[in-house]
Amino acid sequence: MNLTFLGTGDAVGTPKVGCSCENCTFARELSIERLRTSLLVENGGRHLLIDTSPDLRRQLLSSGSPRIDAVIWTHGHYDHYSGYGEFYRIQDPPPVYAADETLSYCAPLFSFLSFEQHRLEPYVPFTLFGLSITLFPVNHPPVPSFGVRIDSPGGSVAYTGDTRADIPAPSKELLSAADLLVLDAIVPPQIHLNKHMNSDEAARLAREAGPGDYRLVHLSHLIPWSLPHIARDGECIRFP
Ligand SMILES: [Zn+2]
Ligand SMILES: [Zn+2]
Ligand SMILES: [Zn+2]
């Protein structure tokens, strides 16, 4: 199994349009970006995309134009589903797997495309491309939002999706003992939001879940480029 971070930014990306803060200026000077958060999982030559960001076209081009065999939507927020329309005239739109609430909201927005819809039951693992995948509820008011755990013979990944730190105990259990944790960390520690973790809260959750490595994603322009454990766009992690 291979995991590629196609994007690591929040809903507006970094640099933020019109912003001249230190982090955005640094990004422009180095021509680096945080596209909107999306993860590409490859196993046995099949490609699973977790969330279809508004940057999907550029993300597919920069990752070698893989044919996407399936999509998981974590929740119905613009930055996580809106790029699905980019499959138009590129490939057969891939089947989408998501919770009932997410599909009911997002699928009608793409009525110009014909695609399979698979409603997932939270906490019930299913198998896709040799991977065992489990969707689990997190806490991202006011919309239902879900994390994803993926177990393969080579290793395991758990992704929180968009969430605040207090999540249901069975969901916390699914974050534990993963080889790699991927956590929402939108802002620096001095800022507290109702629906996302700051970087300290995410690091604390990672320590509780231990002992695997972790990466922070869904980063806003307020997160410094030097923060430890931030994922970078294009970073690929291989599981033996
Ligand atoms: Zn988001
Ligand atoms: Zn900025
Ligand atoms: Zn969200």
Side-chain angles (χ1 to χ4, degrees):
M1 176 172 69
N2 298 317
L3 171 76
T4 305
F5 294 95
L6 297 186
T8 60
D10 68 346
V12 301
T14 305
K16 179 180 175 180
V17 172
C19 183
S20 54
C21 78
E22 193 182 339
N23 298 324
C24 289
T25 301
F26 182 82
R28 286 195 191 88
E29 284 172 359
L30 270 68
S31 295
I32 53 175
E33 285 191 84
R34 292 178 184 134
L35 301 180
R36 273 59 77 86
T37 291
S38 172
L39 311 176
L40 180 65
V41 177
E42 183 273 327
N43 195 49
R46 310 299 295 277
H47 294 92
L48 168 67
L49 187 59
I50 301 181
D51 286 334
T52 51
S53 94
D55 296 309
L56 183 68
R57 177 178 176 275
R58 282 191 47 204
Q59 292 171 327
L60 292 178
L61 286 171
S62 61
S63 56
S65 302
R67 182 192 159 79
I68 302 300
D69 298 293
V71 163
I72 292 176
W73 281 331
T74 59
H75 66 297
H77 272 165
Y78 165 79
D79 48 324
H80 296 262
Y81 67 79
S82 62
Y84 189 80
E86 296 291 338
F87 288 117
Y88 177 65
R89 289 179 55 200
I90 296 300
Q91 66 160 79
D92 291 338
V96 179
Y97 295 76
D100 184 42
E101 304 94 315
T102 312
L103 270 179
S104 296
Y105 176 74
C106 299
L109 302 170
F110 301 101
S111 57
F112 58 100
L113 297 173
S114 168
F115 59 100
E116 282 176 36
Q117 299 171 31
H118 299 271
R119 285 175 156 71
L120 297 180
E121 199 64 48
Y123 297 129
V124 178
F126 69 105
T127 303
L128 196 61
F129 314 143
L131 305 167
S132 174
I133 301 173
T134 311
L135 206 67
F136 56 89
V138 289
N139 188 357
H140 186 52
V143 304
S145 181
F146 297 85
V148 183
R149 177 163 179 132
I150 302 177
D151 291 285
S152 80
S156 52
V157 178
Y159 169 43
T160 62
D162 282 13
T163 187
R164 45 187 287 157
D166 50 328
I167 61 174
S171 297
K172 242 180 201 176
E173 193 64 32
L174 284 166
L175 290 180
S176 66
D179 295 305
L180 181 74
L181 268 181
V182 181
L183 303 107
D184 169 17
I186 192 169
V187 287
Q190 63 272 24
I191 301 175
H192 294 272
L193 297 176
N194 184 42
K195 57 182 184 178
H196 288 283
M197 292 185 281
N198 66 34
S199 54
D200 269 8
E201 291 168 329
R204 196 175 312 127
L205 189 58
R207 279 196 300 276
E208 283 172 26
D213 198 3
Y214 70 93
R215 291 289 186 283
L216 305 177
V217 297
H218 208 274
L219 311 164
S220 77
H221 70 125
L222 301 175
I223 295 281
W225 290 93
S226 57
L227 186 76
H229 290 283
I230 60 169
R232 295 297 186 108
D233 285 27
E235 180 180 359
C236 182
I237 296 180
R238 295 176 199 287
F239 297 82

